[in-house]
Amino acid sequence: MKNLTLASFGVALATATSLSAVPAAAEQLRVGLAALATSVDPHFHRAGYNFDLRENISDALVYTNGVNGTVEPRLAKSWEIQGDTKWVITLEPKAKFDDGNPLGADDVIYSICRVRNVPNSPGLFSSFIATIANIKDAGDGKIEIDTKKPDPNLLRSLSNIGIVQNPTGRTLAYDDKSCGNDNWLATGDFNSGKTSPGIGHYHVKKFTPDVEIELERNDQYYGTPAAYDSVLVKSLPDNSARIAALLGGSVDVINAVPINSIDSIQSSGKYHLSSMPSTLLIFLLPDQGQEKTPKVSGTDGKNPFLDPRVRKALNLAINREQIAETVMGGMAQPASQIIVDGVFGHNPDLQAYPYDPAEAKRLLAEAGYPNGFSLTLNAPSDRYVNGAQVAQAVTAMLSQVGLNVTLETFPFSIYFTKASAYEFSLYLAGAAADTGEGLSQMINLAGTRNPDRGWGGANRGRYSSEVTDKALEDAQSTLDDAKREELLRAAVAEVYKDDGYVPLYHEFGVWGVRNGVHYDANANLTNIFYTARPE
Amino acid sequence: MLSFVLQRLLQSVVVVFVLSIVLFVGIWLIGNPADILISSEASEADRLAAITALGLDKPLWQQYLTFLGNAVQGDWGTSFVYKEPATSILLQRLPASLELGLVAFVIAIVASVPAGLYAGLKPESLLGRGVMTFSLIGVSIPTFWQGMLLIVAFGIALPILPVGDRGAVATHFGITSSLWTLDGWSHVIMPAFSLALLKMSLLMRVTRAATMEISRLDFVKFAYAKGVRSRKVVVRHILRNALVPLITVTGIELANLLAYGVITETVFSWPGLGKLLINSIKVLDRPLIVAQLTYTALLFIAINFIVDILHMAIDPRVKSVLRRAA
């Protein structure tokens, strides 16, 4: 019996070794990510790591290219605007679902209806479809979308909505509730592979939450096929484990390369970095929303940040070049404004804030604080690349202009609960442009905070300016690109003039890549596997 | 004996009950899971929809009662993040943790008991001192640090072992495990050794101390004086008595290995329960955290129970104490 067991064990070993001997390296791309998608369902949860997977397995109508900022056709072959609020979209006739059925207008309507109807979703995508008044089948492979008001960013918003196959057998009549349907595809069936997430460059072969995702190339894909036969995506949240996986050869690509490993990757000769400035702005935001602010003392109860001179002093007290070069190891671009260079809405006329501690001191004195005041700077300890170190550097810089600064950090899991309850006086945070252009980012950061309207979601310091709001509001309904850009630039300049924000830098997206693999960096920090190729 | 088992069962129910309350209140105090899960760019309406969908709009006591009602029926809730039943995610991850924990346990026992015994019998010898030095190093190096050292040494500088991750799995005799494949062993051996190192060092010290203490006792001296062969004295008299404290420590350590390989699993990106626990805490995925820690509590209770039974088998004196206590 013992021998038998040993023998079968031996066979098992032999099988295992022969299996692993099959050369896979040439066709398989292995990627280690700091955060893995939590679901295959393209509409389940609005979070960066789910955008990643969705873009590779479930095409939307268009794709917002994170490398050059353009909107590319996907399931929408072409589109035109009729009047101010009607979009006529021609669907890609070659696009077919796994069962061979071609894409139809009913699939698009069903998918957009489903966005609001995913049971138990921890965060819906519905704000991306908020401006849609109606969608209908226009026949001839076309759909018509009516918007409630002119919406220049309709397609960019829809680039986040994967199109799934309509299972109901009828074309739903669009409304902004349930579209008369009560039987929606279940998230669990997407995860188990029972329901296909739509038409994409890759199929999901196996989804293991928090561990790994196996993808297989979709050979029926209507567009340019992906170069790799299969992709293995592994969850490697720990920085050192991720870097070890790359250096040890168990993955070909990692994202979010830790700053302290950049040198060892570059000097090895076996790996290279793929990086570009992302839209993610790291900023300080002083509390401008309350007369008394909780974490400041020595000001006779006043909130010093209501005085624009004090805010300007903050902007002048920070040496952005030094933070970007020293603390961020060069993997950041000093910021003068919210929108990063190269993204729609960036204002090229604004000068970078000079580093001028003497002027900062003078302004503080002028504002009535010749001896500074005491304040606590808050920062998340585990959210942004080197975020805690950056906060330390900022603390030191603010101390040099005479402020008595204490740094207090919290883990991400409780940080934003506190920030949203306005418990901070000066806090560090970051926010990116979900749609790949500047308007959404400006509304989210610089728009007057108004939850009902969906404005100022990340503006927890409550910067508010009528001029900025007006410009953003006009931009929201201006279809003409040149005019809209003009309005956005005006809003950006207004925030600059008000010193409403203390922008620090735009973080680089940094990927570590094994030589022999080409992998595109992406300003939206999305991981696109289908443009990777052996080289 | 029966009343002893019943008492233990009752105890475990109370422990699990109290634990679940502590966890519920604790997580509620830490923060709102909705703040982490919901995109900062989502509208207020979306935020409220999500809070309702997760059941977080209800008062805490009501959420707890709902949980309790479902738990009694065997439903431990659905993960906020993955929307899969917590138990099924747990079961998916359990085999990896069991593999790692058991291999580490075997390594720890096989290495520590003979070494500790030797060091206890011959404390002045060079080898005995060597064992003590080794165990001192073993207990002093932080786990994550020695894990990284192992990775750098055997995974990168001398690339003979894969760095982290579980290897290929195979199914034999109805058990799916990576221990059936060579690839699986090449993956498990480094994290298992890393995990075992601390336990090994600890067990060496416990074994040595127990051995030294017992060697001085009269019955051992008597046995030697009577001319009993020394191998027999060591195995029958010293080792058997030394096992009593050893088993208590070993039991707790085994439970620790099976449930709390958190650091090792993180460093070696081992897809087990430890890594899952850390990731669930980061996003305050309450159903997963509660299910996991309950599992851990049950594991500790079960192992302690087995330890007590073993004690009875090894040491007849314990039996009478337990009987009186029951």
Side-chain angles (χ1 to χ4, degrees):
Chain A
M1 185 57 206
K2 199 175 197 176
N3 284 338
L4 192 66
T5 318
L6 278 177
S8 62
F9 191 55
V11 172
L13 290 183
T15 331
T17 32
S18 66
L19 276 179
S20 58
V22 176
E27 300 92 0
Q28 192 183 46
L29 177 71
R30 297 159 307 161
V31 185
L33 300 183
L36 203 59
T38 52
S39 178
V40 178
D41 181 345
H43 312 136
F44 173 60
H45 182 197
R46 176 181 180 173
Y49 38 80
N50 285 335
F51 291 10
D52 260 11
L53 181 63
R54 205 273 312 142
E55 183 51 41
N56 290 289
I57 60 165
S58 170
D59 275 3
L61 289 174
V62 295
Y63 167 57
T64 307
N65 191 316
V67 180
N68 56 26
T70 57
V71 174
E72 293 176 8
R74 281 290 186 271
L75 295 179
K77 193 169 182 237
S78 60
W79 51 87
E80 56 169 334
I81 312 176
Q82 295 178 350
D84 276 350
T85 56
K86 187 182 286 298
W87 295 69
V88 179
I89 293 172
T90 308
L91 299 177
E92 170 63 56
K94 283 183 289 180
K96 284 187 172 57
F97 289 101
D98 294 347
D99 59 6
N101 277 337
L103 171 77
D106 62 316
D107 300 313
V108 178
I109 300 172
Y110 176 85
S111 301
I112 294 177
C113 280
R114 186 172 182 270
V115 166
R116 288 197 180 89
N117 292 285
V118 185
N120 302 329
S121 157
L124 290 168
F125 285 74
S126 12
S127 48
F128 288 122
I129 59 164
T131 60
I132 296 177
N134 194 20
I135 314 172
K136 56 179 189 281
D137 185 350
D140 218 11
K142 290 182 178 168
I143 52 167
E144 265 178 37
I145 301 182
D146 293 317
T147 57
K148 292 171 186 165
K149 52 184 182 174
D151 180 6
N153 285 324
L154 177 72
L155 288 176
R156 287 181 182 273
S157 298
L158 288 179
S159 75
N160 290 300
I161 310 296
I163 304 298
V164 300
Q165 194 168 6
N166 171 19
T168 61
R170 61 194 172 95
T171 303
L172 301 183
Y174 186 82
D175 61 37
D176 58 10
K177 298 220 162 46
S178 66
C179 307
N181 184 38
D182 56 4
N183 185 16
W184 299 101
L185 291 169
T187 299
D189 290 343
F190 284 100
N191 293 346
S192 68
K194 205 177 135 197
T195 310
S196 151
I199 307 167
H201 287 84
Y202 284 100
H203 286 141
V204 179
K205 197 172 155 202
K206 190 155 183 268
F207 172 74
T208 318
D210 192 43
V211 179
E212 61 183 25
I213 305 171
E214 290 175 61
L215 303 177
E216 234 174 11
R217 184 171 55 207
N218 174 6
D219 289 322
Q220 320 303 302
Y221 190 68
Y222 60 91
T224 319
Y228 283 98
D229 290 335
S230 65
V231 180
L232 181 66
V233 196
K234 294 184 185 181
S235 159
L236 294 167
D238 184 64
N239 279 347
S240 44
R242 198 161 61 252
I243 198 83
L246 179 72
L247 299 181
S250 71
V251 296
D252 305 313
V253 176
I254 57 168
N255 75 342
V257 175
I259 302 289
N260 56 15
S261 310
I262 282 175
D263 284 346
S264 59
I265 290 185
Q266 276 175 327
S267 62
S268 69
K270 287 192 282 185
Y271 312 93
H272 61 275
L273 294 174
S274 177
S275 70
M276 73 183 291
S278 75
T279 61
L280 178 63
L281 171 78
I282 305 295
F283 58 84
L284 300 181
L285 188 52
D287 177 10
Q288 297 155 65
Q290 39 200 356
E291 289 297 324
K292 278 186 185 171
T293 191
K295 302 226 162 173
V296 163
S297 62
T299 58
D300 298 328
K302 276 192 296 182
N303 176 355
F305 299 123
L306 294 176
D307 188 329
R309 289 170 297 192
V310 176
R311 301 200 298 266
K312 188 165 182 76
L314 293 181
N315 261 326
L316 297 177
I318 287 161
N319 188 342
R320 293 173 174 76
E321 291 288 341
Q322 198 190 343
I323 292 180
E325 282 311 313
T326 316
V327 189
M328 293 298 292
M331 291 297 146
Q333 180 170 301
S336 60
Q337 55 189 297
I338 290 173
I339 305 172
V340 70
D341 190 9
V343 167
F344 189 85
H346 174 84
N347 190 333
D349 302 333
L350 300 180
Q351 301 296 316
Y353 290 101
Y355 172 55
D356 193 345
E359 176 67 7
K361 272 187 194 158
R362 197 191 64 76
L363 282 167
L364 283 173
E366 195 183 301
Y369 308 107
N371 301 317
F373 50 85
S374 298
L375 96 135
T376 303
L377 168 68
N378 286 98
S381 51
D382 53 355
R383 178 64 173 155
Y384 309 107
V385 176
N386 274 16
Q389 287 88 327
V390 169
Q392 281 165 10
V394 167
T395 306
M397 288 169 186
L398 294 181
S399 302
Q400 276 168 12
V401 299
L403 298 176
N404 179 14
V405 189
T406 319
L407 175 64
E408 184 181 33
T409 61
F410 291 103
F412 167 54
S413 51
I414 56 174
Y415 184 73
F416 286 103
T417 308
K418 289 178 175 288
S420 298
Y422 310 129
E423 288 179 24
F424 300 153
S425 291
L426 181 67
Y427 75 95
L428 183 145
D434 258 10
T435 52
E437 55 77 62
L439 179 58
S440 64
Q441 195 178 15
M442 281 298 287
I443 288 179
N444 186 35
L445 284 171
T448 297
R449 193 165 164 89
N450 180 346
D452 296 332
R453 205 174 162 201
W455 277 45
N459 181 4
R460 297 178 177 90
R462 289 172 291 169
Y463 161 74
S464 172
S465 148
E466 278 173 26
V467 182
T468 309
D469 283 358
K470 178 77 175 72
L472 293 177
E473 212 167 71
D474 291 347
Q476 251 188 331
S477 54
T478 303
L479 289 173
D480 185 275
D481 282 347
K483 276 186 197 155
R484 191 169 74 254
E485 183 145 38
E486 209 48 51
L487 287 163
L488 265 177
R489 285 179 176 173
V492 169
E494 190 65 18
V495 179
Y496 184 91
K497 183 179 75 84
D498 289 341
D499 287 292
Y501 269 75
V502 184
L504 297 178
Y505 54 87
H506 287 98
E507 201 176 286
F508 276 28
V510 189
W511 284 261
V513 187
R514 182 173 63 78
N515 287 349
V517 174
H518 171 88
Y519 193 87
D520 282 332
N522 185 302
N524 300 336
L525 300 178
T526 314
N527 286 284
I528 306 293
F529 308 132
Y530 57 76
T531 56
R533 57 177 191 269
E535 65 175 13
Chain B
M1 182 67 196
L2 189 66
S3 70
F4 171 68
V5 174
L6 281 178
Q7 197 190 8
R8 268 302 156 92
L9 274 178
L10 194 70
Q11 262 178 17
S12 53
V13 171
V14 173
V15 168
V16 169
F17 180 72
V18 171
L19 182 78
S20 66
I21 294 184
V22 169
L23 285 174
F24 253 74
V25 175
I27 294 169
W28 176 76
L29 281 176
I30 290 176
N32 189 344
D35 283 327
I36 300 166
L37 292 172
I38 297 164
S39 159
S40 61
E41 281 152 59
S43 69
E44 186 65 9
D46 290 356
R47 212 179 102 85
L48 292 177
I51 289 176
T52 315
L54 299 178
L56 296 168
D57 52 336
K58 303 195 183 78
L60 189 68
W61 61 269
Q62 208 174 332
Q63 293 178 40
Y64 181 72
L65 287 185
T66 315
F67 160 79
L68 206 61
N70 292 334
V72 170
Q73 294 162 35
D75 172 9
W76 286 84
T78 304
S79 156
F80 289 161
V81 179
Y82 303 107
K83 226 192 111 190
E84 306 241 344
T87 29
S88 79
I89 297 182
L90 225 58
L91 287 177
Q92 216 171 30
R93 305 296 281 271
L94 190 61
S97 269
L98 288 182
E99 266 166 29
L100 180 63
L102 288 176
V103 173
F105 184 69
V106 170
I107 293 177
I109 294 289
V110 167
S112 66
V113 173
L117 195 64
Y118 182 85
L121 292 172
K122 298 199 166 112
E124 299 303 322
S125 68
L126 199 63
L127 200 59
R129 285 166 187 272
V131 167
M132 285 314 284
T133 313
F134 173 85
S135 74
L136 193 66
I137 296 172
V139 290
S140 350
I141 304 183
T143 306
F144 68 91
W145 173 241
Q146 46 99 336
M148 287 315 298
L149 282 182
L150 286 173
I151 290 181
V152 170
F154 296 105
I156 296 171
L158 197 72
I160 47 171
L161 289 172
V163 289
D165 229 340
R166 195 175 175 214
V169 295
T171 307
H172 292 283
F173 315 108
I175 300 168
T176 304
S177 166
S178 74
L179 298 184
W180 298 120
T181 68
L182 196 61
D183 181 53
W185 275 98
S186 74
H187 279 87
V188 80
I189 200 74
M190 199 157 58
F193 179 76
S194 167
L195 187 59
L197 193 58
L198 177 64
K199 315 290 171 197
M200 194 193 289
S201 313
L202 199 69
L203 289 177
M204 273 177 194
R205 299 195 144 240
V206 172
T207 316
R208 175 177 174 271
T211 309
M212 283 173 76
E213 194 183 317
I214 289 157
S215 309
R216 281 192 225 104
L217 294 181
D218 289 347
F219 67 87
V220 176
K221 286 184 188 151
F222 183 70
Y224 276 122
K226 211 172 75 173
V228 180
R229 274 185 305 141
S230 77
R231 170 187 292 250
K232 200 169 174 186
V233 178
V234 169
V235 174
R236 176 76 56 83
H237 297 285
I238 299 181
L239 183 60
R240 188 163 168 178
N241 281 289
L243 276 180
V244 176
L246 195 60
I247 280 178
T248 312
V249 178
T250 309
I252 295 171
E253 293 300 329
L254 176 63
N256 256 324
L257 284 173
L258 294 182
Y260 288 131
V262 179
I263 294 169
T264 306
E265 289 188 6
T266 307
V267 171
F268 288 91
S269 52
W270 188 261
L273 292 172
K275 191 173 166 230
L276 182 69
L277 183 64
I278 282 289
N279 293 347
S280 337
I281 291 174
K282 272 189 193 154
V283 293
L284 297 180
D285 193 342
R286 193 180 63 202
L288 263 186
I289 301 174
V290 173
Q292 268 197 85
L293 293 182
T294 309
Y295 151 78
T296 311
L298 290 176
L299 189 75
F300 271 86
I301 290 165
I303 287 182
N304 265 326
F305 180 69
I306 295 171
V307 165
D308 282 342
I309 302 278
L310 282 178
H311 268 176
M312 278 194 257
I314 293 171
D315 189 347
R317 285 168 303 180
V318 176
K319 202 186 278 178
S320 61
V321 173
L322 283 174
R323 193 171 287 149
R324 252 178 283 139

